[in-house]
Amino acid sequence: MEATESTWSEERVEKLRQLWGQGMSASEIAELLGNVTRNAVIGKAHRLGLSGRPSPIKKKPTKGATILSLTERMCKWPVGDPKSPDFHFCGKPSLNGLPYCAEHAAIAYQPARKREDERKLGVA
């Protein structure tokens, strides 16, 4: 019997499935199972066809986009104070040929007549 066969008994495979389903990391599972590496856990999970999970390292911004994640097709409207850790950009799809989404383009590009009226009323 090969070492890999003895490492993955039916009980250990079932435990792997259970822990994987609970969202535990491969390192945590390897530690709980004992006598198996993180890479062995990943390999076995892959061979078993267990669902992939997002990497805990690659966290997505919870809202909007960061300066590093912006693309030319994303709205570049700044949101919040640039000095704040919560500062981000809108990130919604931008209008063709413009740096902003429809909502922010409507704010940024106003007809001159509307701006004059707002100034007279003291709105701006």
Side-chain angles (χ1 to χ4, degrees):
M1 187 184 311
E2 291 181 29
T4 56
E5 289 179 25
S6 65
T7 302
W8 294 110
S9 66
E10 287 183 39
E11 294 83 22
R12 287 171 63 88
V13 169
E14 187 52 41
K15 188 71 172 171
L16 166 63
R17 286 179 190 274
Q18 178 187 18
L19 297 172
W20 189 268
Q22 292 173 4
M24 294 187 79
S25 73
S27 295
E28 292 169 326
I29 295 170
E31 188 175 322
L32 285 172
L33 291 176
N35 197 29
V36 67
T37 66
R38 169 189 166 276
N39 287 340
V41 168
I42 293 169
K44 188 64 173 179
H46 179 71
R47 288 188 299 280
L48 291 170
L50 301 179
S51 64
R53 301 174 297 191
S55 168
I57 298 169
K58 298 178 187 173
K59 293 183 180 174
K60 296 178 183 175
T62 55
K63 54 187 173 184
T66 66
I67 189 72
L68 298 175
S69 66
L70 275 178
T71 68
E72 64 185 48
R73 295 182 181 153
M74 296 171 79
C75 179
K76 293 161 186 68
W77 189 268
V79 179
D81 182 353
K83 295 177 186 172
S84 167
D86 293 336
F87 177 75
H88 60 279
F89 295 89
C90 171
K92 293 178 184 173
S94 62
L95 294 176
N96 207 7
L98 294 176
Y100 306 122
C101 65
E103 177 187 353
H104 291 123
I107 297 168
Y109 302 107
Q110 296 180 7
R113 182 85 176 147
K114 182 178 178 184
R115 287 194 308 262
E116 287 176 25
D117 292 346
E118 287 179 350
R119 278 192 208 120
K120 287 179 186 174
L121 295 172
V123 175

mmCIF file of all heavy atoms in Angstrom, residues 72-112:
data_model
loop_
_atom_site.group_PDB
_atom_site.id
_atom_site.type_symbol
_atom_site.label_atom_id
_atom_site.label_comp_id
_atom_site.label_asym_id
_atom_site.label_seq_id
_atom_site.Cartn_x
_atom_site.Cartn_y
_atom_site.Cartn_z
ATOM 1 N N GLU A 72 -10.081 51.602 -17.423
ATOM 2 C CA GLU A 72 -10.585 52.713 -18.235
ATOM 3 C C GLU A 72 -12.101 52.671 -18.408
ATOM 4 O O GLU A 72 -12.714 53.662 -18.747
ATOM 5 C CB GLU A 72 -9.902 52.727 -19.601
ATOM 6 C CG GLU A 72 -10.194 51.494 -20.438
ATOM 7 C CD GLU A 72 -9.404 51.470 -21.736
ATOM 8 O OE1 GLU A 72 -8.190 51.702 -21.693
ATOM 9 O OE2 GLU A 72 -10.035 51.237 -22.776
ATOM 10 N N ARG A 73 -12.722 51.549 -18.147
ATOM 11 C CA ARG A 73 -14.178 51.406 -18.313
ATOM 12 C C ARG A 73 -14.940 51.556 -17.006
ATOM 13 O O ARG A 73 -16.113 51.232 -16.932
ATOM 14 C CB ARG A 73 -14.498 50.047 -18.932
ATOM 15 C CG ARG A 73 -13.969 49.911 -20.330
ATOM 16 C CD ARG A 73 -14.347 48.602 -20.925
ATOM 17 N NE ARG A 73 -13.787 48.489 -22.272
ATOM 18 C CZ ARG A 73 -13.491 47.366 -22.849
ATOM 19 N NH1 ARG A 73 -13.703 46.231 -22.219
ATOM 20 N NH2 ARG A 73 -12.999 47.341 -24.059
ATOM 21 N N MET A 74 -14.269 52.035 -15.972
ATOM 22 C CA MET A 74 -14.911 52.202 -14.668
ATOM 23 C C MET A 74 -15.048 53.682 -14.330
ATOM 24 O O MET A 74 -14.200 54.492 -14.698
ATOM 25 C CB MET A 74 -14.089 51.498 -13.579
ATOM 26 C CG MET A 74 -14.020 49.992 -13.752
ATOM 27 S SD MET A 74 -12.846 49.215 -12.626
ATOM 28 C CE MET A 74 -13.792 49.195 -11.130
ATOM 29 N N CYS A 75 -16.115 54.013 -13.600
ATOM 30 C CA CYS A 75 -16.365 55.386 -13.173
ATOM 31 C C CYS A 75 -15.280 55.815 -12.181
ATOM 32 O O CYS A 75 -15.010 55.125 -11.208
ATOM 33 C CB CYS A 75 -17.744 55.493 -12.526
ATOM 34 S SG CYS A 75 -18.135 57.155 -11.931
ATOM 35 N N LYS A 76 -14.695 56.972 -12.460
ATOM 36 C CA LYS A 76 -13.596 57.471 -11.635
ATOM 37 C C LYS A 76 -14.030 58.572 -10.675
ATOM 38 O O LYS A 76 -13.223 59.372 -10.225
ATOM 39 C CB LYS A 76 -12.467 57.943 -12.548
ATOM 40 C CG LYS A 76 -11.851 56.773 -13.297
ATOM 41 C CD LYS A 76 -11.071 57.223 -14.509
ATOM 42 C CE LYS A 76 -10.586 56.048 -15.311
ATOM 43 N NZ LYS A 76 -11.679 55.314 -15.968
ATOM 44 N N TRP A 77 -15.320 58.609 -10.361
ATOM 45 C CA TRP A 77 -15.836 59.612 -9.433
ATOM 46 C C TRP A 77 -15.316 59.303 -8.030
ATOM 47 O O TRP A 77 -15.535 58.224 -7.495
ATOM 48 C CB TRP A 77 -17.365 59.587 -9.437
ATOM 49 C CG TRP A 77 -17.988 60.716 -8.679
ATOM 50 C CD1 TRP A 77 -18.357 60.703 -7.367
ATOM 51 C CD2 TRP A 77 -18.310 62.003 -9.179
ATOM 52 N NE1 TRP A 77 -18.901 61.905 -7.013
ATOM 53 C CE2 TRP A 77 -18.877 62.734 -8.117
ATOM 54 C CE3 TRP A 77 -18.175 62.615 -10.421
ATOM 55 C CZ2 TRP A 77 -19.301 64.042 -8.263
ATOM 56 C CZ3 TRP A 77 -18.611 63.914 -10.570
ATOM 57 C CH2 TRP A 77 -19.166 64.614 -9.494
ATOM 58 N N PRO A 78 -14.595 60.261 -7.401
ATOM 59 C CA PRO A 78 -14.069 60.013 -6.054
ATOM 60 C C PRO A 78 -15.183 60.055 -5.017
ATOM 61 O O PRO A 78 -16.093 60.873 -5.102
ATOM 62 C CB PRO A 78 -13.074 61.160 -5.849
ATOM 63 C CG PRO A 78 -13.518 62.228 -6.796
ATOM 64 C CD PRO A 78 -14.218 61.552 -7.941
ATOM 65 N N VAL A 79 -15.109 59.174 -4.045
ATOM 66 C CA VAL A 79 -16.112 59.096 -2.990
ATOM 67 C C VAL A 79 -15.411 59.173 -1.641
ATOM 68 O O VAL A 79 -14.591 58.315 -1.313
ATOM 69 C CB VAL A 79 -16.925 57.771 -3.090
ATOM 70 C CG1 VAL A 79 -17.955 57.687 -1.970
ATOM 71 C CG2 VAL A 79 -17.588 57.643 -4.450
ATOM 72 N N GLY A 80 -15.726 60.210 -0.881
ATOM 73 C CA GLY A 80 -15.152 60.357 0.450
ATOM 74 C C GLY A 80 -13.888 61.197 0.462
ATOM 75 O O GLY A 80 -13.466 61.763 -0.545
ATOM 76 N N ASP A 81 -13.291 61.262 1.617
ATOM 77 C CA ASP A 81 -12.073 62.040 1.838
ATOM 78 C C ASP A 81 -10.860 61.203 1.442
ATOM 79 O O ASP A 81 -10.679 60.099 1.960
ATOM 80 C CB ASP A 81 -11.981 62.419 3.314
ATOM 81 C CG ASP A 81 -10.770 63.273 3.655
ATOM 82 O OD1 ASP A 81 -9.904 63.487 2.785
ATOM 83 O OD2 ASP A 81 -10.698 63.740 4.813
ATOM 84 N N PRO A 82 -10.015 61.717 0.534
ATOM 85 C CA PRO A 82 -8.834 60.951 0.118
ATOM 86 C C PRO A 82 -7.894 60.576 1.270
ATOM 87 O O PRO A 82 -7.118 59.641 1.157
ATOM 88 C CB PRO A 82 -8.128 61.879 -0.866
ATOM 89 C CG PRO A 82 -9.202 62.800 -1.353
ATOM 90 C CD PRO A 82 -10.160 62.958 -0.207
ATOM 91 N N LYS A 83 -7.993 61.280 2.379
ATOM 92 C CA LYS A 83 -7.141 60.972 3.537
ATOM 93 C C LYS A 83 -7.721 59.835 4.385
ATOM 94 O O LYS A 83 -7.045 59.307 5.252
ATOM 95 C CB LYS A 83 -6.973 62.219 4.405
ATOM 96 C CG LYS A 83 -6.221 63.330 3.714
ATOM 97 C CD LYS A 83 -6.155 64.557 4.590
ATOM 98 C CE LYS A 83 -5.536 65.719 3.833
ATOM 99 N NZ LYS A 83 -5.619 66.963 4.586
ATOM 100 N N SER A 84 -8.971 59.466 4.122
ATOM 101 C CA SER A 84 -9.649 58.436 4.905
ATOM 102 C C SER A 84 -9.369 57.045 4.342
ATOM 103 O O SER A 84 -9.287 56.864 3.130
ATOM 104 C CB SER A 84 -11.155 58.696 4.877
ATOM 105 O OG SER A 84 -11.858 57.584 5.363
ATOM 106 N N PRO A 85 -9.275 56.034 5.194
ATOM 107 C CA PRO A 85 -9.065 54.660 4.701
ATOM 108 C C PRO A 85 -10.267 54.141 3.899
ATOM 109 O O PRO A 85 -10.148 53.200 3.131
ATOM 110 C CB PRO A 85 -8.856 53.832 5.964
ATOM 111 C CG PRO A 85 -9.068 54.723 7.120
ATOM 112 C CD PRO A 85 -9.235 56.128 6.637
ATOM 113 N N ASP A 86 -11.445 54.762 4.082
ATOM 114 C CA ASP A 86 -12.643 54.358 3.345
ATOM 115 C C ASP A 86 -12.739 54.995 1.967
ATOM 116 O O ASP A 86 -13.681 54.723 1.233
ATOM 117 C CB ASP A 86 -13.901 54.718 4.144
ATOM 118 C CG ASP A 86 -14.025 53.916 5.420
ATOM 119 O OD1 ASP A 86 -13.440 52.813 5.470
ATOM 120 O OD2 ASP A 86 -14.695 54.377 6.356
ATOM 121 N N PHE A 87 -11.800 55.874 1.618
ATOM 122 C CA PHE A 87 -11.853 56.557 0.327
ATOM 123 C C PHE A 87 -11.807 55.543 -0.812
ATOM 124 O O PHE A 87 -11.072 54.569 -0.759
ATOM 125 C CB PHE A 87 -10.665 57.520 0.186
ATOM 126 C CG PHE A 87 -10.605 58.202 -1.147
ATOM 127 C CD1 PHE A 87 -11.480 59.225 -1.446
ATOM 128 C CD2 PHE A 87 -9.692 57.802 -2.099
ATOM 129 C CE1 PHE A 87 -11.431 59.864 -2.676
ATOM 130 C CE2 PHE A 87 -9.639 58.422 -3.332
ATOM 131 C CZ PHE A 87 -10.507 59.455 -3.629
ATOM 132 N N HIS A 88 -12.645 55.774 -1.824
ATOM 133 C CA HIS A 88 -12.679 54.895 -2.987
ATOM 134 C C HIS A 88 -13.256 55.649 -4.181
ATOM 135 O O HIS A 88 -13.604 56.827 -4.066
ATOM 136 C CB HIS A 88 -13.516 53.644 -2.688
ATOM 137 C CG HIS A 88 -14.941 53.938 -2.337
ATOM 138 N ND1 HIS A 88 -15.322 54.326 -1.074
ATOM 139 C CD2 HIS A 88 -16.062 53.904 -3.070
ATOM 140 C CE1 HIS A 88 -16.621 54.523 -1.053
ATOM 141 N NE2 HIS A 88 -17.106 54.281 -2.257
ATOM 142 N N PHE A 89 -13.316 54.999 -5.302
ATOM 143 C CA PHE A 89 -13.926 55.553 -6.504
ATOM 144 C C PHE A 89 -15.202 54.770 -6.774
ATOM 145 O O PHE A 89 -15.331 53.618 -6.378
ATOM 146 C CB PHE A 89 -12.968 55.445 -7.690
ATOM 147 C CG PHE A 89 -11.738 56.283 -7.504
ATOM 148 C CD1 PHE A 89 -10.619 55.763 -6.877
ATOM 149 C CD2 PHE A 89 -11.699 57.598 -7.929
ATOM 150 C CE1 PHE A 89 -9.487 56.526 -6.684
ATOM 151 C CE2 PHE A 89 -10.569 58.382 -7.734
ATOM 152 C CZ PHE A 89 -9.460 57.844 -7.114
ATOM 153 N N CYS A 90 -16.139 55.403 -7.487
ATOM 154 C CA CYS A 90 -17.436 54.778 -7.754
ATOM 155 C C CYS A 90 -17.260 53.367 -8.313
ATOM 156 O O CYS A 90 -17.796 52.412 -7.770
ATOM 157 C CB CYS A 90 -18.240 55.647 -8.707
ATOM 158 S SG CYS A 90 -19.754 54.879 -9.314
ATOM 159 N N GLY A 91 -16.555 53.215 -9.428
ATOM 160 C CA GLY A 91 -16.265 51.892 -9.979
ATOM 161 C C GLY A 91 -17.348 51.287 -10.855
ATOM 162 O O GLY A 91 -17.138 50.236 -11.446
ATOM 163 N N LYS A 92 -18.518 51.944 -10.970
ATOM 164 C CA LYS A 92 -19.559 51.424 -11.867
ATOM 165 C C LYS A 92 -19.094 51.574 -13.313
ATOM 166 O O LYS A 92 -18.171 52.340 -13.595
ATOM 167 C CB LYS A 92 -20.866 52.198 -11.662
ATOM 168 C CG LYS A 92 -21.507 51.982 -10.313
ATOM 169 C CD LYS A 92 -22.766 52.821 -10.186
ATOM 170 C CE LYS A 92 -23.371 52.688 -8.806
ATOM 171 N NZ LYS A 92 -24.487 53.629 -8.618
ATOM 172 N N PRO A 93 -19.724 50.879 -14.252
ATOM 173 C CA PRO A 93 -19.334 51.025 -15.661
ATOM 174 C C PRO A 93 -19.503 52.473 -16.125
ATOM 175 O O PRO A 93 -20.526 53.108 -15.879
ATOM 176 C CB PRO A 93 -20.302 50.101 -16.406
ATOM 177 C CG PRO A 93 -20.739 49.104 -15.375
ATOM 178 C CD PRO A 93 -20.744 49.847 -14.068
ATOM 179 N N SER A 94 -18.476 53.010 -16.764
ATOM 180 C CA SER A 94 -18.532 54.395 -17.241
ATOM 181 C C SER A 94 -19.206 54.467 -18.599
ATOM 182 O O SER A 94 -19.272 53.480 -19.339
ATOM 183 C CB SER A 94 -17.126 54.985 -17.311
ATOM 184 O OG SER A 94 -16.331 54.271 -18.231
ATOM 185 N N LEU A 95 -19.715 55.662 -18.899
ATOM 186 C CA LEU A 95 -20.333 55.896 -20.204
ATOM 187 C C LEU A 95 -19.243 55.923 -21.268
ATOM 188 O O LEU A 95 -18.104 56.331 -21.001
ATOM 189 C CB LEU A 95 -21.100 57.221 -20.201
ATOM 190 C CG LEU A 95 -22.316 57.288 -19.282
ATOM 191 C CD1 LEU A 95 -22.914 58.697 -19.299
ATOM 192 C CD2 LEU A 95 -23.362 56.266 -19.702
ATOM 193 N N ASN A 96 -19.590 55.529 -22.458
ATOM 194 C CA ASN A 96 -18.632 55.479 -23.561
ATOM 195 C C ASN A 96 -17.999 56.858 -23.786
ATOM 196 O O ASN A 96 -18.708 57.838 -23.985
ATOM 197 C CB ASN A 96 -19.353 55.002 -24.832
ATOM 198 C CG ASN A 96 -18.417 54.328 -25.789
ATOM 199 O OD1 ASN A 96 -17.259 54.086 -25.479
ATOM 200 N ND2 ASN A 96 -18.931 54.011 -26.960
ATOM 201 N N GLY A 97 -16.700 56.934 -23.711
ATOM 202 C CA GLY A 97 -15.974 58.182 -23.946
ATOM 203 C C GLY A 97 -15.924 59.124 -22.768
ATOM 204 O O GLY A 97 -15.383 60.223 -22.874
ATOM 205 N N LEU A 98 -16.492 58.742 -21.632
ATOM 206 C CA LEU A 98 -16.482 59.593 -20.442
ATOM 207 C C LEU A 98 -15.846 58.841 -19.273
ATOM 208 O O LEU A 98 -15.895 57.615 -19.219
ATOM 209 C CB LEU A 98 -17.906 60.007 -20.054
ATOM 210 C CG LEU A 98 -18.647 60.911 -21.030
ATOM 211 C CD1 LEU A 98 -20.074 61.155 -20.540
ATOM 212 C CD2 LEU A 98 -17.928 62.234 -21.205
ATOM 213 N N PRO A 99 -15.298 59.589 -18.307
ATOM 214 C CA PRO A 99 -14.694 58.923 -17.158
ATOM 215 C C PRO A 99 -15.693 58.537 -16.072
ATOM 216 O O PRO A 99 -15.307 57.958 -15.064
ATOM 217 C CB PRO A 99 -13.706 59.967 -16.632
ATOM 218 C CG PRO A 99 -14.299 61.279 -17.033
ATOM 219 C CD PRO A 99 -15.014 61.022 -18.327
ATOM 220 N N TYR A 100 -16.980 58.891 -16.260
ATOM 221 C CA TYR A 100 -17.976 58.670 -15.215
ATOM 222 C C TYR A 100 -19.140 57.802 -15.681
ATOM 223 O O TYR A 100 -19.442 57.712 -16.866
ATOM 224 C CB TYR A 100 -18.535 60.011 -14.721
ATOM 225 C CG TYR A 100 -17.479 60.984 -14.264
ATOM 226 C CD1 TYR A 100 -17.365 62.236 -14.858
ATOM 227 C CD2 TYR A 100 -16.596 60.655 -13.245
ATOM 228 C CE1 TYR A 100 -16.393 63.138 -14.445
ATOM 229 C CE2 TYR A 100 -15.618 61.546 -12.827
ATOM 230 C CZ TYR A 100 -15.524 62.787 -13.429
ATOM 231 O OH TYR A 100 -14.561 63.663 -13.017
ATOM 232 N N CYS A 101 -19.845 57.225 -14.703
ATOM 233 C CA CYS A 101 -21.089 56.496 -14.978
ATOM 234 C C CYS A 101 -22.184 57.522 -15.273
ATOM 235 O O CYS A 101 -21.972 58.732 -15.134
ATOM 236 C CB CYS A 101 -21.465 55.634 -13.771
ATOM 237 S SG CYS A 101 -21.865 56.574 -12.269
ATOM 238 N N ALA A 102 -23.363 57.071 -15.648
ATOM 239 C CA ALA A 102 -24.456 57.984 -16.001
ATOM 240 C C ALA A 102 -24.805 58.923 -14.845
ATOM 241 O O ALA A 102 -24.992 60.130 -15.046
ATOM 242 C CB ALA A 102 -25.678 57.171 -16.418
ATOM 243 N N GLU A 103 -24.879 58.380 -13.638
ATOM 244 C CA GLU A 103 -25.237 59.191 -12.469
ATOM 245 C C GLU A 103 -24.239 60.321 -12.240
ATOM 246 O O GLU A 103 -24.616 61.475 -12.047
ATOM 247 C CB GLU A 103 -25.302 58.285 -11.235
ATOM 248 C CG GLU A 103 -25.586 59.013 -9.945
ATOM 249 C CD GLU A 103 -25.478 58.113 -8.715
ATOM 250 O OE1 GLU A 103 -25.307 56.890 -8.854
ATOM 251 O OE2 GLU A 103 -25.564 58.657 -7.605
ATOM 252 N N HIS A 104 -22.957 60.002 -12.272
ATOM 253 C CA HIS A 104 -21.945 61.009 -11.987
ATOM 254 C C HIS A 104 -21.688 61.929 -13.178
ATOM 255 O O HIS A 104 -21.334 63.098 -12.997
ATOM 256 C CB HIS A 104 -20.666 60.341 -11.481
ATOM 257 C CG HIS A 104 -20.862 59.745 -10.126
ATOM 258 N ND1 HIS A 104 -20.640 58.406 -9.864
ATOM 259 C CD2 HIS A 104 -21.299 60.298 -8.965
ATOM 260 C CE1 HIS A 104 -20.909 58.166 -8.589
ATOM 261 N NE2 HIS A 104 -21.325 59.296 -8.025
ATOM 262 N N ALA A 105 -21.897 61.444 -14.385
ATOM 263 C CA ALA A 105 -21.776 62.305 -15.565
ATOM 264 C C ALA A 105 -22.853 63.383 -15.523
ATOM 265 O O ALA A 105 -22.606 64.541 -15.905
ATOM 266 C CB ALA A 105 -21.889 61.484 -16.843
ATOM 267 N N ALA A 106 -24.053 63.042 -15.036
ATOM 268 C CA ALA A 106 -25.133 64.020 -14.935
ATOM 269 C C ALA A 106 -24.771 65.138 -13.958
ATOM 270 O O ALA A 106 -25.188 66.284 -14.127
ATOM 271 C CB ALA A 106 -26.425 63.331 -14.497
ATOM 272 N N ILE A 107 -23.980 64.821 -12.954
ATOM 273 C CA ILE A 107 -23.539 65.834 -11.991
ATOM 274 C C ILE A 107 -22.390 66.649 -12.575
ATOM 275 O O ILE A 107 -22.362 67.872 -12.489
ATOM 276 C CB ILE A 107 -23.098 65.174 -10.668
ATOM 277 C CG1 ILE A 107 -24.273 64.458 -10.010
ATOM 278 C CG2 ILE A 107 -22.495 66.206 -9.716
ATOM 279 C CD1 ILE A 107 -23.874 63.545 -8.853
ATOM 280 N N ALA A 108 -21.451 65.971 -13.192
ATOM 281 C CA ALA A 108 -20.240 66.627 -13.692
ATOM 282 C C ALA A 108 -20.480 67.491 -14.928
ATOM 283 O O ALA A 108 -19.860 68.535 -15.078
ATOM 284 C CB ALA A 108 -19.175 65.577 -13.999
ATOM 285 N N TYR A 109 -21.366 67.039 -15.794
ATOM 286 C CA TYR A 109 -21.596 67.733 -17.055
ATOM 287 C C TYR A 109 -23.009 68.307 -17.081
ATOM 288 O O TYR A 109 -23.941 67.677 -17.549
ATOM 289 C CB TYR A 109 -21.390 66.778 -18.241
ATOM 290 C CG TYR A 109 -20.013 66.166 -18.253
ATOM 291 C CD1 TYR A 109 -19.835 64.832 -17.915
ATOM 292 C CD2 TYR A 109 -18.897 66.915 -18.568
ATOM 293 C CE1 TYR A 109 -18.576 64.252 -17.919
ATOM 294 C CE2 TYR A 109 -17.630 66.359 -18.564
ATOM 295 C CZ TYR A 109 -17.480 65.029 -18.235
ATOM 296 O OH TYR A 109 -16.229 64.468 -18.240
ATOM 297 N N GLN A 110 -23.146 69.538 -16.564
ATOM 298 C CA GLN A 110 -24.439 70.200 -16.545
ATOM 299 C C GLN A 110 -24.458 71.287 -17.613
ATOM 300 O O GLN A 110 -23.443 71.942 -17.851
ATOM 301 C CB GLN A 110 -24.701 70.826 -15.181
ATOM 302 C CG GLN A 110 -24.805 69.817 -14.075
ATOM 303 C CD GLN A 110 -25.064 70.487 -12.739
ATOM 304 O OE1 GLN A 110 -25.295 71.690 -12.660
ATOM 305 N NE2 GLN A 110 -25.026 69.708 -11.679
ATOM 306 N N PRO A 111 -25.614 71.512 -18.215
ATOM 307 C CA PRO A 111 -25.708 72.599 -19.192
ATOM 308 C C PRO A 111 -25.386 73.931 -18.527
ATOM 309 O O PRO A 111 -25.706 74.159 -17.353
ATOM 310 C CB PRO A 111 -27.175 72.561 -19.635
ATOM 311 C CG PRO A 111 -27.699 71.233 -19.211
ATOM 312 C CD PRO A 111 -26.856 70.782 -18.067
ATOM 313 N N ALA A 112 -24.755 74.837 -19.248
ATOM 314 C CA ALA A 112 -24.353 76.136 -18.708
ATOM 315 C C ALA A 112 -25.554 76.896 -18.144
ATOM 316 O O ALA A 112 -25.462 77.545 -17.105
ATOM 317 C CB ALA A 112 -23.661 76.959 -19.781
#
